[in-house]
Amino acid sequence: MTTTADYTEKIPNNVDLHEDRRLQRALESWQPNFLSWWESMGPSLPTADVYLRTAVNVGREGWAHFGHVAMHDYRWGIFLAERDPARRIAFGEHKGEPAWQKLPGEYRADLQRLIVVQGDTEPASVEQQRNLGATAPSLYDLRNLFQVNVEEGRHLWAMVYLLHAFFGREGREEAEELLHRHSGSEDAPRILGAFNEETPDWLSFFMFTYFTDRDGKYQLGTLKESGFDPLSRTCEFMLKEEAHHMFVGTTGIDRVVERTAQLMVEHDTDEVAPRGAIPLDVLQKYLNFHHSVSLDLFGGETSTNVANYFTAGLKGRWSEERRRDDHKLTNDSIMVDALTEDGQIGQAEVAALAGLNTDLRREYISDCQNGVNRWNRILAGAGLPQRLRLPHVAFNRKVGAFAGIEAAPDGERIPAAEWRRRKREWLPTDVDKTHVRSLMRPVHERGKIAAWIAPPRNGINGKPFDYEYVHLA
Ligand SMILES: [Fe+2]
Ligand SMILES: [Fe+2]
């Protein structure tokens, strides 16, 4: 059974919003603030319409509708996955109890914090990507950018719904703050570091959607396990949309690697910059940067807060139900990354509950490795011996056990002076960034593509690559 959204309402939703007039009015008064945020902080390229997917349903089939829409008329809505009336909490001290339909008072502050931190990332990425439209490599890519942007906007709606529906006045104030903080702002920055970095070019965008959106996938995966059922159902549906964001990142980098490899073979050289492409070593540096700042998003290797969230049933593990243990972890231990007593990069044994950030980060890293394997298959397929690799977990970290030390990408601890001397080999330099930016000339003509990236194998929703995905204003 599925619930179809009510599109006659101002705010499309499958939560029977019309039955709760107070909530409906509160959200309707937030809506113009959202729209003015979108106008001032959302995509800056003027468009007439864009071929977009709009969520209309949460069922297994046909959950989305595709069509050309003016972006400011996009139907942002509130969609929760179907409720399973028999759902029980799968972990922690409440394991086996029915999932909570109402907010458990004792966990109010913790849940509010988790929702606000998640909610803050959604509009942040829209702000970071605001100016990319002006330099899109094709209309296909432009459309994908806007698709990601409107859905991040919808994810903000998803979190704001929870804040308004369950957290009273404080929740409404937090919802305002979500529009007030801005990525990179001096006085009111976004909460998490990676969401205050710039996304100045399309290589950064693809790296962001590969590495940083993937962090989002893992965070949502843990919240999907939450004993607080409305949060669980919200995140479950967000994950569905998130899959496309991962796809944009994965295939975006595929296509950059493919183009670079093609030119390397054709001209028998690593020096593809003069040929208008991105050299492999620059790709590796971008990868190093985005992977390491995304690792920071998982927090410290050990965390008592996260242990408490787990025990309380607020935030589970990735694939909680598939884990073969007691789902309470009170007697278990885990090896986490740590500095050893003699200051070396190594591991230490801690209580499993304390090490949950490390558990999640490891799931994430092994997922990231899949992309690297893909890109290396493209290089191998082109007959090239070079390979890309993920940097070591200790590399370029600002959060956690390795924040105070320096490490090379292979995980060797190095003195600060060596780091300063050599970091240009490992992280994008101003010269690299300037080169990448110099390639970012817009290709807004139907069926055409920029020289630094290969065209996609397929279009969107069965449409060809040369479809009119975007009509510019
Ligand atoms: Fe999102
Ligand atoms: Fe996303």
Side-chain angles (χ1 to χ4, degrees), residues 1 71 86 106 110 166-167 173 203 218 228-229 234 257 263 271 295 305 319 324-325 331 401 424 453 458 466 470:
M1 194 197 110
M71 263 200 293
E106 59 188 309
D110 285 340
F166 297 96
F167 295 89
E173 284 167 6
L203 180 58
Y218 280 80
F228 183 40
D229 205 42
T234 299
V257 173
L263 288 169
E271 307 290 320
L295 290 179
N305 273 344
S319 299
R324 289 167 184 278
D325 52 36
N331 299 313
R424 68 179 66 99
I453 185 168
N458 302 301
D466 67 359
V470 181

Side-chain angles (χ1 to χ4, degrees), residues 56 85 116 148 157 167 184 216 222 230 257 313 359 363 405 424 438 454 457:
V56 290
V116 165
V148 170
W157 270 97
F167 295 89
T222 64
V257 173
D359 177 82
E363 296 284 337
I405 61 135
R424 68 179 66 99
S438 76
R457 299 234 179 284

